[in-house]
Amino acid sequence: MYRVETIRRLREARRLAVLTGAGVSAESGVPTFRSPEGLWSRFRPEELARVEAFLRNPDLVWAWYAHRRQIIRQVQPNAAHRILAALEDRYPDFTLITQNVDNLHRRAGSRNLIELHGNLERNYCIACARPWQEEDDEPQAVPRCPDCGGLVRPDVVWFGEPLPQEAWSRAEAAARRAEVFLVVGTSAVVYPAAWLPEIALESGAYVVEINPEETPLSGRVHDAIRERATVALEALWSMLES
Ligand code: APR
């Protein structure tokens, strides 16, 4: 499955960075975005994952994210999340950068985690930015800030919005210094996150992609593993352990 050079690099590296996308949560039962049955095949992102959509119809957008939150609370992190969390202890300098907002890397125990697109379990008031946490059950209508009455929104990056500056800077620095850069379960078509494997390549990292499908990145990485994340990461873990 892996090239001999890949295993050697992974065994010898001290600085490892990983970029994950929705594919790493697919085996937990969380729908991806661009696969045939993915979220964007059933909903239009510009009607839901944009601030204009939220301001036009806050209850609809809130209910969609509440629905996604209910899905992720019913699923468990899978072996891919768990192995990525375990890899953190094998490398002196390990950074996990995720595009996912499903909180599953955090639940699997990942610590040095950069959430480029935010986290569905966090919400805040668009007027005063106060963090908001629902008391008991999930309100279906958009909540109002108890302080100022402003609309509450999920703490996720919507289309057309900038990434959190600090998260981006840390992710870019990790991609620049990585000796090995793993790209797991992302279609690598959404920027700026998709710049990170390019930055790693330009900075001399050995780049490995894990994805059952071909992506625009596949032709440029040092090793493209056509496997599901759980299968590929379990194989990687057992090779590192042997
Ligand atoms: N293991 C590994 N990869 C998988 C698996 C699996 N079991 N199943 C699917 N994949 C791959 C698909 O082949 C696809 O390349 O995961 C990728 C998922 O791609 P997308 O659905 O585009 O998700 P992602 O790349 O994370 O999207 C990036 O776009 O919509 C925005 O903000 C949203 O963070 C998201 C961003």
Side-chain angles (χ1 to χ4, degrees):
M1 186 189 300
Y2 292 92
R3 295 179 55 203
V4 172
E5 176 66 2
T6 303
I7 297 304
R8 185 183 71 76
R9 296 269 186 153
L10 281 164
R11 282 207 174 107
E12 291 172 8
R14 299 180 53 73
R15 303 187 304 278
L16 175 66
V18 185
L19 172 67
T20 63
V24 84
S25 298
E27 291 165 86
S28 293
V30 180
T32 61
F33 292 95
R34 293 169 185 83
S35 55
E37 68 291 341
L39 283 174
W40 296 152
S41 66
R42 292 163 47 225
F43 301 98
R44 288 169 48 77
E46 44 279 353
E47 281 172 2
L48 293 163
R50 291 192 84 87
V51 69
E52 297 83 358
F54 178 68
L55 295 174
R56 193 172 49 245
N57 191 338
D59 287 341
L60 170 72
V61 174
W62 178 267
W64 186 61
Y65 280 94
H67 164 69
R68 288 178 61 190
R69 228 184 326 267
Q70 272 151 5
I71 291 175
I72 64 170
R73 287 178 183 169
Q74 285 153 15
V75 303
Q76 298 303 320
N78 62 58
H81 297 106
R82 289 194 297 276
I83 291 168
L84 288 170
L87 279 175
E88 194 160 344
D89 299 328
R90 285 187 65 98
Y91 292 90
D93 179 347
F94 178 94
T95 307
L96 177 54
I97 306 157
T98 189
Q99 301 172 85
N100 302 339
V101 296
D102 59 28
N103 203 38
L104 289 176
H105 283 306
R106 209 172 281 286
R107 284 175 54 194
S110 289
R111 298 180 310 281
N112 194 12
L113 174 64
I114 301 174
E115 295 171 318
L116 279 186
H117 293 166
N119 185 318
L120 266 183
E121 292 295 353
R122 292 195 303 268
N123 303 281
Y124 65 90
C125 169
I126 62 170
C128 70
R130 177 183 186 271
W132 182 91
Q133 193 64 38
E134 84 266 16
E135 279 67 44
D136 36 31
D137 60 336
E138 174 88 46
Q140 281 311 308
V142 62
R144 292 283 178 166
C145 172
D147 274 0
C148 75
L151 290 170
V152 172
R153 63 166 281 180
D155 184 9
V156 299
V157 177
W158 278 332
F159 287 100
E161 291 187 319
L163 267 54
Q165 184 50 46
E166 195 259 346
W168 174 254
S169 309
R170 281 176 57 211
E172 188 180 5
R176 286 199 193 289
R177 69 172 184 273
E179 292 166 279
V180 178
F181 193 85
L182 281 185
V183 186
V184 189
T186 181
S187 55
V189 294
V190 175
Y191 287 81
W195 286 125
L196 292 169
E198 313 277 345
I199 290 168
L201 280 167
E202 282 159 21
S203 308
Y206 185 90
V207 181
V208 182
E209 179 185 56
I210 295 173
N211 194 322
E213 310 282 333
E214 177 126 8
T215 73
L217 191 62
S218 303
R220 308 227 301 295
V221 298
H222 297 88
D223 200 355
I225 313 297
R226 283 281 160 273
E227 280 288 355
R228 292 183 287 118
T230 52
V231 173
L233 289 172
E234 276 162 355
L236 186 150
W237 182 259
S238 55
M239 267 180 273
L240 291 176
E241 285 292 282
S242 63

